[in-house]
Amino acid sequence: DTHVPVDPLTLASGDITHQLYRWQEEHSQTPSVRGSIRNAHNRRRSFSAVASDTEWDVSYTPEQIRAPGGFRRQFLQERATRQGREANILTSNFVDFIALYGHFAGGEYPSDEDDDEATSEVLERGVQQQQQQARAAARDIKATATPRKAFFLLVKAFVGTGVLVLPRAFYNGGLTFSAILMSGIAWYALHCMVLLSDVYQKVGGSYGDLALKLYGRPLKYCVMVSIVLAQLGFCCAYVIFVATNMQDLWNSLTHCKHQISTETWILMQLVVYVPLAFVRRIKRFASLSVVGTFFIMVGLAYLFFYDFWLIATHGPADVVHFNPSKFPLLVGTAAFSYEGISLVIPIVESMERKDKFNGVLTASLVVCAGLFVCIGLFSYLALGDSVEAVVLLNLPSGYAATQAVQLLYSLAIIMSVPLQLFPAIRIIESGIFTRSGKGNPVVKWQKNLFRSLLVVFIAMVAIFGAEELDNFIAIVGASACLPLSFLYPVMLHYRALATTWWARTKDLVLVGIALFGLVYVTYISVETWGTSSPPLDRCATP
């Protein structure tokens, strides 16, 4: 009976259990028992717990735990089980939702401070297969979101600060034409989002993954570039909005005694945005998002009140029903407003009854389209051709309520900029940097320098477009938002699900419309650059 000696220190936890094994062998009753113990599997006697994870009733696999947000999802699931209820994985907070289910468009872009240290190892080794397995594991986790919460999250995704440029967009398009076109574009956006949802449920993966699987790397790069351009465009527009609004508020408070230029107001915002750009975890913006949402609601309520009061006391202003020279700008602004398509995949992923998503999406788009049309229609009807690109400038100056709304809305926009910038930074960094900054100060500060330069670049672009905000928004909407919302989803559906002659024909027609709109609206926006009246200056001498 030969025995092959094994060094116990090479066994799992051998340095801890070696003395236990020796004590047990020395105190065994018979030599036979001592021999059997010597040849037994490590930890046979000293470890009496269960032998596998299945006996622990662990519902999450190691791959699911390693997925970004895996520990948090497991904790929510187990806490709900102990309390005798179903887990509600869809969070009530918009930022927590993004942090839990992955960032915009359903993709995962690792950060220096992700919960799992395996992320840095994946980055340093460049193993894309492990990233794909982590994303797949995250998608396998049981989703328990109700239609009601999905509805409110979709509304939050669509109703942003872009609504305040819609009155000017209605001026550019004309009252009747704008109302009809905004409703038609809402249906177009709804149809494309349903197509994207259908493709996701069949193929699986993030927005970029769908493009990669169906068309290869070129379309995936197009999707990623469009997402980055859209997010950076939102940031530039928001910076312009804050600068224009704060300049007007400052002049009102100081009675034009200490004037500060728009360019200076833009540069002053760098003091806030550069430090916030260093934040690695989006969950740290959660409180800012909640406060910003409340401020936006207050501002919209005050705007509606002022519009109704102005129409009731002064009657409707002189309006045009169709503006043939500038109506394409309305298309770009509409694409800018319907900016929520990047959250379609994460929300579908979170729903327990995915077959109800189309109904929830339809209801949310109807509500949002109605809100957009009402804001643009009533503000243009109340203000006429004097409507400003930032409609808050049309509110009566000198009133405490107006000043409070301007301040609160500006704070809401300032709180929104880091959220818009966050996914763009993560996508760009994942393509530029191959190493993680976690535990490596040199790489971390290289990323901080990159983030600082990116914020400065946004400020420079904002200075360039400050005098032409409506044209700038139209360019961003046509060149970045329009492909994301209206072009790529149809292309993906054509390759994955269009099996009938009618479906293929319809998809090709929609692709043609999207391409034409992209080129034509961008051309008109550039062609009419510089023809708009400058923003309202209350300090200008007559």
Side-chain angles (χ1 to χ4, degrees):
D1 185 19
T2 60
H3 168 67
V4 179
V6 178
D7 184 359
L9 295 179
T10 62
L11 301 177
S13 303
D15 56 335
I16 298 175
T17 61
H18 178 56
Q19 296 298 326
L20 297 176
Y21 290 140
R22 290 192 60 183
W23 182 91
Q24 187 177 27
E25 183 176 6
E26 291 172 357
H27 291 78
S28 297
Q29 298 296 325
T30 63
S32 60
V33 173
R34 290 196 297 268
S36 62
I37 294 174
R38 185 183 299 114
N39 296 321
H41 191 272
N42 63 305
R43 301 197 304 179
R44 177 70 56 83
R45 294 287 184 100
S46 64
F47 188 72
S48 60
V50 295
S52 67
D53 290 341
T54 58
E55 298 183 41
W56 286 83
D57 193 23
V58 177
S59 59
Y60 282 46
T61 65
E63 289 75 15
Q64 292 172 340
I65 294 296
R66 285 196 295 267
F71 280 113
R72 176 63 177 168
R73 282 188 283 265
Q74 183 195 28
F75 167 73
L76 294 176
Q77 186 79 44
E78 293 182 351
R79 184 178 64 178
T81 302
R82 290 195 301 269
Q83 296 174 353
R85 60 178 177 84
E86 289 189 358
N88 182 18
I89 301 300
L90 181 60
T91 62
S92 58
N93 183 278
F94 180 72
V95 179
D96 284 345
F97 169 82
I98 297 173
L100 192 62
Y101 274 96
H103 307 294
F104 294 83
E108 297 288 354
Y109 311 103
S111 170
D112 292 341
E113 295 184 5
D114 278 337
D115 294 336
D116 303 320
E117 295 184 2
T119 297
S120 60
E121 297 176 2
V122 171
L123 286 176
E124 293 179 4
R125 293 198 303 264
V127 184
Q128 298 180 358
Q129 182 179 3
Q130 294 189 20
Q131 290 178 321
Q132 295 171 357
Q133 291 175 351
R135 289 195 294 266
R139 289 192 293 270
D140 290 338
I141 295 174
K142 183 180 179 182
T144 59
T146 63
R148 179 176 60 86
K149 289 199 171 183
F151 167 81
F152 285 110
L153 195 59
L154 281 168
V155 172
K156 166 60 182 173
F158 285 111
V159 180
T161 53
V163 297
L164 292 186
V165 300
L166 288 175
R168 181 74 174 192
F170 269 61
Y171 163 77
N172 290 329
L175 187 68
T176 304
F177 178 79
S178 298
I180 296 174
L181 188 62
M182 284 294 294
S183 301
I185 292 179
W187 173 86
Y188 193 180
L190 170 63
H191 181 70
C192 292
M193 291 177 191
V194 170
L195 296 183
L196 181 62
S197 170
D198 293 341
V199 173
Y200 162 75
Q201 294 186 55
K202 178 183 178 181
V203 179
S206 67
Y207 206 160
D209 292 336
L210 296 178
L212 178 63
K213 293 176 182 178
L214 297 175
Y215 286 91
R217 292 189 179 276
L219 188 64
K220 178 183 178 180
Y221 292 149
C222 289
V223 170
M224 294 295 101
V225 169
S226 296
I227 293 176
V228 170
L229 291 179
Q231 299 302 131
L232 295 181
F234 296 151
C235 293
C236 294
Y238 291 177
V239 169
I240 296 173
F241 177 91
V242 171
T244 305
N245 201 41
M246 290 302 298
Q247 182 186 38
D248 184 72
L249 176 61
W250 175 260
N251 290 337
S252 176
L253 293 174
T254 62
H255 304 288
C256 301
K257 293 181 180 179
H258 305 284
Q259 298 187 44
I260 301 177
S261 65
T262 304
E263 293 77 8
T264 303
W265 280 108
I266 291 176
L267 295 177
M268 288 169 60
Q269 296 177 61
L270 295 178
V271 178
V272 178
Y273 299 144
V274 170
L276 289 179
F278 293 168
V279 175
R280 261 60 177 183
R281 293 183 181 178
I282 196 171
K283 282 178 64 65
R284 294 177 180 173
F285 297 131
S287 58
L288 298 181
S289 175
V290 174
V291 176
T293 300
F294 174 75
F295 289 168
I296 290 175
M297 293 174 61
V298 172
L300 293 180
Y302 184 76
L303 178 62
F304 270 121
F305 172 80
Y306 178 69
D307 288 341
F308 292 143
W309 176 84
L310 203 60
I311 294 174
T313 56
H314 296 81
D318 293 331
V319 298
V320 297
H321 293 279
F322 177 66
N323 188 345
S325 61
K326 284 195 171 184
F327 77 89
L329 300 183
L330 172 66
V331 179
T333 305
F336 184 94
S337 300
Y338 294 110
E339 59 185 76
I341 193 168
S342 294
L343 290 180
V344 167
I345 290 177
I347 293 177
V348 174
E349 181 179 295
S350 69
M351 293 189 67
E352 181 180 14
R353 294 285 305 277
K354 293 179 173 53
D355 58 307
K356 292 185 176 293
F357 174 76
N358 291 350
V360 174
L361 180 63
T362 301
S364 63
L365 257 295
V366 169
V367 171
C368 293
L371 178 63
F372 293 165
V373 171
C374 288
I375 290 175
L377 188 147
F378 287 115
S379 294
Y380 179 43
L381 197 61
L383 301 169
D385 58 3
S386 64
V387 63
E388 292 290 327
V390 179
V391 72
L392 293 185
L393 299 183
N394 292 110
L395 296 176
S397 177
Y399 291 90
T402 298
Q403 294 170 351
V405 167
Q406 287 183 311
L407 177 61
L408 293 179
Y409 218 103
S410 296
L411 291 176
I413 304 304
I414 291 174
M415 296 172 186
S416 299
V417 169
L419 291 175
Q420 300 291 348
L421 184 60
F422 190 84
I425 287 178
R426 295 281 285 267
I427 292 174
I428 298 174
E429 284 185 348
S430 66
I432 294 178
F433 296 95
T434 59
R435 299 180 61 188
S436 170
K438 189 172 185 178
N440 190 329
V442 175
V443 175
K444 186 171 184 177
W445 279 101
Q446 286 176 346
K447 292 185 177 182
N448 287 342
L449 176 61
F450 163 75
R451 295 182 179 206
S452 302
L453 294 177
L454 185 61
V455 174
V456 173
F457 170 75
I458 290 173
M460 296 300 102
V461 175
I463 291 175
F464 174 75
E467 299 293 326
E468 300 289 336
L469 181 58
D470 49 348
N471 286 66
F472 180 80
I473 288 178
I475 292 175
V476 174
S479 61
C481 302
L482 192 150
L484 278 176
S485 299
F486 305 109
L487 178 60
Y488 302 143
V490 182
M491 293 177 61
L492 297 175
H493 183 269
Y494 179 83
R495 181 63 62 89
L497 295 173
T499 57
T500 65
W501 177 87
W502 160 248
R504 290 193 296 269
T505 303
K506 182 260 299 179
D507 287 350
L508 290 176
V509 171
L510 293 180
V511 167
I513 293 174
L515 289 174
F516 175 78
L518 188 157
V519 175
Y520 183 66
V521 174
T522 303
Y523 170 77
I524 294 298
S525 301
V526 175
E527 183 70 18
T528 59
W529 189 278
T531 61
S532 300
S533 57
L536 177 65
D537 185 1
R538 302 186 193 274
C539 300
T541 56

